[in-house]
């Protein structure tokens, strides 16, 4: 093995194929019927990472191109979250409004953290640093947006009567919705909270392992992982807050009682 942690050679190809086959077999024989989604996801990940790796060779050399790539990631994250939250196809009526409504919590969650990290000089203002940090935070905000939006959508379906009762008592739409649904939104914060609480005790996440295997000291690895974890916690909390407010104001889910 050279300077890279993982060499893209024949051994890697064989291992990846075996891992994919193992996951697909488990999806089939468990009775969950998830073998096809697993295979599709594996193929998509392979193609996408091959393309992105090629593109990044040129993009990271330019801050302008790096910023454009970050905007592209945000747009794709918004498209993904919109589908998850509403369960409606991209080309259905109102798609533009749904995309804007999901882009807001994603960008609103990730942007302040990225600006703080870069503005403080904690992470160098270079493409090879900006894109990974922004990608991690955008991905976390996307996941939080999807989880919070779906949870609120499900809760609204089952507790619609309570919201309507609160409206009948004279509460404003936002107050009625949040009175009933705010606790459900908080459940979207459970994954990042658990990951932060148990880091080093249950798992050693990717940033820590990556720095360590890349030649960094354990102290440097710990510092990098702490920055990622607390950055994700802040970004995801901001995203969940934004989603909750959007749902409360009827700007994200279309079936909110008024």
């Amino acid at each position: 093995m050279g300077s890279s942690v993982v060499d893209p050679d024949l051994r890697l190809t064989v291992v990846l194929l075996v891992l994919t086959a193992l996951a697909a077999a488990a999806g089939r024989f468990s009775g969950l019927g998830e073998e096809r989604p697993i295979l599709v996801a594996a193929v998509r990940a392979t193609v996408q990472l091959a393309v992105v790796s090629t593109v990044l060779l040129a993009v990271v050399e330019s801050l302008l191109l790096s910023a454009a790539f970050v905007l592209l990631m945000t747009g794709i994250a918004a498209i993904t979250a919109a589908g998850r939250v509403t369960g409606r196809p991209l080309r259905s009526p109102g798609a533009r409004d749904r995309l804007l409504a999901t882009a807001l919590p994603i960008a609103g969650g990730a942007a302040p953290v990225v600006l703080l990290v870069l503005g403080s000089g904690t992470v160098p203002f270079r493409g090879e640093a900006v894109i990974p940090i922004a990608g991690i935070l955008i991905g976390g905000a996307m996941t939080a947006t999807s989880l919070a939006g779906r949870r609120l959508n499900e809760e609204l379906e089952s507790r619609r009567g309570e919201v309507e009762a609160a409206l009948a008592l004279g509460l404003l739409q936002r107050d009625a919705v949040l009175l009933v649904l705010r606790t459900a939104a908080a459940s979207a914060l459970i994954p990042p909270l658990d990951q932060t609480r148990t880091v080093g005790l249950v798992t050693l996440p990717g940033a820590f392992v990556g720095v360590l295997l890349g030649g960094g000291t354990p102290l440097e690895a710990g510092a990098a992982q702490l920055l990622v974890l607390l950055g994700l916690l802040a970004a995801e909390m901001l995203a969940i807050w934004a989603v909750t407010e959007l749902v409360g104001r009827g700007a994200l889910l279309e079936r909110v009682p008024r």
Side-chain angles (χ1 to χ4, degrees), residues 7-16:
D7 287 332
D9 55 15
L10 180 60
R11 290 173 300 175
L12 176 63
T13 302
V14 172
V15 168
L16 293 178

Side-chain angles (χ1 to χ4, degrees), residues 108-110 113 137 189 192 228-240:
V113 182
L137 296 172
L189 195 63
V228 168
L229 283 175
L230 297 186
L232 278 172
L233 198 58
E236 294 186 35
M237 186 63 251
L238 289 171
I240 293 168

